[in-house]
Amino acid sequence: MYISNWDTFCKRAEEIYIAHPNKTRYTHKYRHVDSQLVLKVTDDVTTIKFRTNQANDMKKLLEFNALMFKHTTSATPTPAYISTAEKAAAAAASSSSSSLSL
């Protein structure tokens, strides 16, 4: 199943990995012909995919790779994904608190 929202894809991918860390696989495929990048996460029961042709989504891919690397190297994986909305809220709170201290 293709998921069109990046944050939803990351949350679901993390849930799949945490539920079955020994069975989960993560792959990505780039098709140069149509400039499509497809990310796929599966545990052989559930499969989710995210497709994009936007170059600015590469930063998101790098963050997702770091998240998956963190999960695969930790002894007990725990949810760690922070959505872009949560990041924006934290940045706004941080900037408002720093301007108050001046």
Side-chain angles (χ1 to χ4, degrees):
M1 151 178 52
Y2 280 98
I3 297 177
S4 59
N5 183 299
W6 176 255
D7 289 331
T8 305
F9 172 79
C10 289
K11 291 255 186 210
R12 291 278 295 128
E14 191 173 50
E15 289 169 2
I16 291 171
Y17 182 79
I18 290 171
H20 304 285
N22 293 331
K23 290 185 171 185
T24 303
R25 294 184 311 280
Y26 160 63
T27 61
H28 58 276
K29 177 173 63 171
Y30 179 74
R31 288 178 35 100
H32 184 69
V33 175
D34 52 3
S35 300
Q36 289 278 327
L37 175 67
V38 178
L39 309 176
K40 176 180 166 183
V41 177
T42 184
D43 65 356
D44 292 331
V45 175
T46 305
T47 300
I48 59 170
K49 295 180 181 181
F50 178 80
R51 177 177 31 203
T52 185
N53 60 0
Q54 302 298 314
N56 59 358
D57 285 339
M58 292 306 289
K59 183 176 179 183
K60 293 177 183 178
L61 170 66
L62 294 174
E63 290 175 359
F64 185 71
N65 278 338
L67 176 70
M68 294 303 281
F69 182 75
K70 178 182 176 184
H71 282 315
T72 57
T73 57
S74 67
T76 56
T78 57
Y81 179 72
I82 300 172
S83 70
T84 52
E86 293 169 334
K87 287 179 187 175
S94 174
S95 65
S96 67
S97 67
S98 64
S99 64
L100 293 175
S101 63
L102 296 175

